[in-house]
Amino acid sequence: MRRLRRVKILATLGPSSSTPEMVEKLYRAGADVFRINMSHTSHDRMRELVQTIRDVEDEVARPIGILIDLQGPKLRVGRFADGAAMLKTGQTFTLDSDETPGDETRVHLPHPEILEALEPGHSLLLDDGKIRLVARSCTPRATVAEVVVGGRLSDRKGVSLPDTLIKTSAMTPKDHADLEAALATNSVDWIALSFVQRPEDITEAKDIIKGQAGVMTKIEKPQAMTRLTEIVDLSDSVMVARGDLGVEMPLEKVPGLQKQMTRACRRAGKPVIIATQMLESMIAQPTPTRAEVSDVATAVFEGADAIMLSAESAAGAYPVEAVAMMNSIAMNVESDPYYRSIIDAQHAEPEATGADAISAAARQIAETLDLAAIICWTAYGTTARRAARERPKQPIIALTPSLETSRRLALAWGVHSVLTHDAHDLDDIVDRACDIAKDQGIADHGDRVIISAGVPLRVPGATNMLRIAYVDGDHVKRD
């Protein structure tokens, strides 16, 4: 089964989509990668879902990616004596280290790291931004704040801190336990880190993961935007997590930040995923709003590698329909007469490396000669991701002997990965590439393809060869 679109689709699994039958339906409707949200999933359930996905993978005979999304630090206020309190605009309200239940004047904040980091003038957003406070005086044990936007605040509501850099890890003890359980399955392809603030958060996770999975950084904190270049460089992929980002920053800034992150990732050749509320109304309705369709289309026009469904596929009433709708929108955008000119206008110049120059040359040659496909031999996926960075018109086929690599490439724009045994020599590289292109229905008799690889073989990051091959029946001619 080969997708007829370039952008990839992530679908979150949950109560509406956890059976083998439903997972297979979601895949056949268009899902390329499945997300397991550890905020709502036990270790046993996670292992069951991973096995279910791998069983479906065997059934459909195509590599499927698995993303484990770590919860990250959830910052919440304590409890109130009456279960809630009404905060009035203009009053003062204290958040402190006293565990006594709160009232209209104060509440316990069970996060000493926040009290230590807050400074006068910093904003505190409570209950998804519905209530806004501004710190006026701060000590390591209490912060007295002014209520700028009041409202009813109940037990254990969330706290967001758009102005405050908290000097703690983005990974909690729960995240460490969840990560170890995920890696122990030996079947997880991506780990998503939540609430990353600085590059050191990524380094910490990579030291634990040790290459067993790709690291996906979720950008949902304003602090991360101030060091975006460093974060993109360290990450294996990036998720534009618009939900929390829209809580901690003015909503009207989020679309511009989405474009900024998408282009930064394209320049770096790192997959970028657009997430949150893409088809939100399909949680309860069989069709999306026109605005939601436009939102998904915008992400595809921007050249995002992937677009994601959250509650729509995890807990909604129409999970299969949501995936099918996203698939339909993407295919229609990619056939739009303006699509190619928009994608090309955002093209980034290649880096000054041999491998990037080879990938850029492959795209130019393929388009100039109207070749049938760009075929990349790759051990770790780097060559294929470089080819995807160029956003060529031609299909990209990634040939790899690594099952893990083929699964990770399920996230990369336009890449159709095929698992095959390693090539013996240069002639084998060319012959097998042409045979597979024919078998996959991408090239036909009389077509030509361009092949990139590294010589000598099996040397990571050594892409240094281009070969044009003419496919004629069972006989391959080399140009």
Side-chain angles (χ1 to χ4, degrees):
M1 179 183 291
R2 180 169 70 90
R3 304 294 191 208
L4 299 179
R5 55 175 156 76
R6 307 297 203 267
V7 70
K8 302 300 178 69
I9 294 175
L10 279 77
T12 304
L13 299 183
S16 297
S17 54
S18 56
T19 65
E21 295 78 15
M22 183 57 74
V23 172
E24 183 172 347
K25 286 181 181 178
L26 292 176
Y27 175 80
R28 294 189 182 279
D32 302 289
V33 179
F34 289 104
R35 169 179 174 254
I36 300 173
N37 186 356
M38 296 309 295
S39 296
H40 310 294
T41 309
S42 68
H43 292 177
D44 287 342
R45 187 62 181 137
M46 179 269 295
R47 285 187 282 266
E48 290 173 4
L49 290 172
V50 167
Q51 186 57 55
T52 295
I53 295 166
R54 292 301 171 225
D55 290 343
V56 170
E57 181 182 66
D58 291 340
E59 179 67 26
V60 300
R62 287 292 304 146
I64 299 175
I66 297 178
L67 166 65
I68 299 295
D69 195 339
L70 303 181
Q71 176 176 291
K74 290 291 186 181
L75 308 177
R76 302 181 185 278
V77 299
R79 300 187 181 277
F80 292 89
D82 296 328
M86 181 61 68
L87 277 58
K88 297 180 180 178
T89 299
Q91 76 169 83
T92 58
F93 187 76
T94 302
L95 300 100
D96 57 37
S97 56
D98 182 356
E99 297 184 12
T100 305
D103 55 26
E104 286 79 6
T105 63
R106 58 157 296 277
V107 73
H108 177 223
L109 185 62
H111 303 285
E113 66 274 16
I114 295 180
L115 294 174
E116 292 171 2
L118 278 167
E119 298 177 8
H122 284 193
S123 294
L124 297 93
L125 306 176
L126 311 181
D127 192 9
D128 288 334
K130 297 182 180 71
I131 298 171
R132 182 184 177 196
L133 315 180
V134 175
R136 296 304 182 203
S137 65
C138 306
T139 72
R141 296 189 60 82
T143 289
V144 178
E146 177 185 351
V147 179
V148 177
V149 178
R152 182 178 181 273
L153 182 63
S154 56
D155 293 343
R156 304 289 296 155
K157 289 299 182 182
V159 181
S160 297
L161 304 158
D163 306 322
T164 310
L165 182 63
I166 304 173
K167 297 178 181 179
T168 58
S169 168
M171 291 183 61
T172 66
K174 169 180 164 52
D175 294 328
H176 280 274
D178 291 347
L179 177 55
E180 290 176 6
L183 295 177
T185 66
N186 293 314
S187 198
V188 168
D189 308 297
W190 293 95
I191 301 292
L193 306 180
S194 298
F195 301 108
V196 168
Q197 297 185 91
R198 50 189 174 247
E200 292 80 4
D201 294 334
I202 304 165
T203 303
E204 178 188 356
K206 284 197 159 188
D207 287 344
I208 299 170
I209 295 169
K210 298 185 186 305
Q212 296 177 70
V215 174
M216 181 183 296
T217 300
K218 295 167 66 177
I219 306 293
E220 47 201 333
K221 300 284 290 181
Q223 293 84 353
M225 290 301 303
T226 64
R227 302 183 70 179
L228 181 63
T229 300
E230 297 169 83
I231 286 173
V232 169
D233 286 345
L234 279 173
S235 304
D236 298 308
S237 65
V238 169
M239 181 189 294
V240 184
R242 304 179 302 178
D244 285 286
L245 195 60
V247 170
E248 300 211 9
M249 300 190 75
L251 284 172
E252 60 272 20
K253 290 185 177 294
V254 174
L257 295 176
Q258 175 176 320
K259 285 181 167 54
Q260 181 181 337
M261 285 183 268
T262 300
R263 296 190 182 191
C265 290
R266 282 192 59 186
R267 282 194 302 272
K270 304 292 180 71
V272 58
I273 299 89
I274 308 300
T276 317
Q277 296 178 327
M278 301 210 80
L279 296 176
E280 184 85 352
S281 65
M282 289 194 74
I283 295 173
Q285 303 293 333
T287 56
T289 66
R290 277 66 171 169
E292 288 167 342
V293 172
S294 182
D295 181 40
V296 174
T298 296
V300 179
F301 274 120
E302 286 174 1
D305 289 80
I307 44 184
M308 192 178 96
L309 295 167
S310 298
E312 301 97 327
S313 60
Y318 303 96
V320 176
E321 290 84 350
V323 173
M325 177 57 67
M326 188 166 266
N327 179 73
S328 178
I329 295 167
M331 290 184 64
N332 275 273
V333 169
E334 291 179 4
S335 64
D336 187 276
Y338 290 103
Y339 173 73
R340 178 47 55 181
S341 62
I342 293 172
I343 289 291
D344 289 345
Q346 301 169 16
H347 180 258
E349 291 300 315
E351 299 295 324
T353 66
D356 279 330
I358 288 285
S359 298
R363 173 184 184 265
Q364 183 175 1
I365 293 168
E367 294 186 359
T368 301
L369 300 180
D370 194 24
L371 304 183
I374 297 170
I375 305 176
C376 310
W377 281 89
T378 182
Y380 299 99
T382 306
T383 304
R385 285 190 291 272
R386 284 194 180 102
R389 175 184 182 271
E390 295 297 315
R391 299 296 192 261
K393 295 178 183 177
Q394 283 74 12
I396 303 168
I397 306 175
L399 306 182
T400 178
S402 167
L403 179 58
E404 292 75 17
T405 295
S406 67
R407 288 168 173 169
R408 287 193 204 180
L409 288 174
L411 191 65
W413 185 96
V415 175
H416 176 74
S417 63
V418 177
L419 191 66
T420 183
H421 57 271
D422 213 349
H424 306 303
D425 52 33
L426 186 54
D427 285 345
D428 191 26
I429 285 176
V430 176
D431 292 342
R432 195 123 45 85
C434 292
D435 289 342
I436 289 173
K438 287 190 297 180
D439 292 343
Q440 297 292 315
I442 295 174
D444 205 347
H445 305 329
D447 288 338
R448 288 182 296 177
V449 297
I450 190 163
I451 303 158
S452 66
V455 180
L457 302 174
R458 293 171 287 279
V459 177
T463 303
N464 58 6
M465 184 209 78
L466 283 179
R467 177 67 70 89
I468 301 170
Y470 179 83
V471 182
D472 183 13
D474 295 325
H475 179 63
V476 177
K477 297 177 182 177
R478 292 155 187 98
D479 290 353

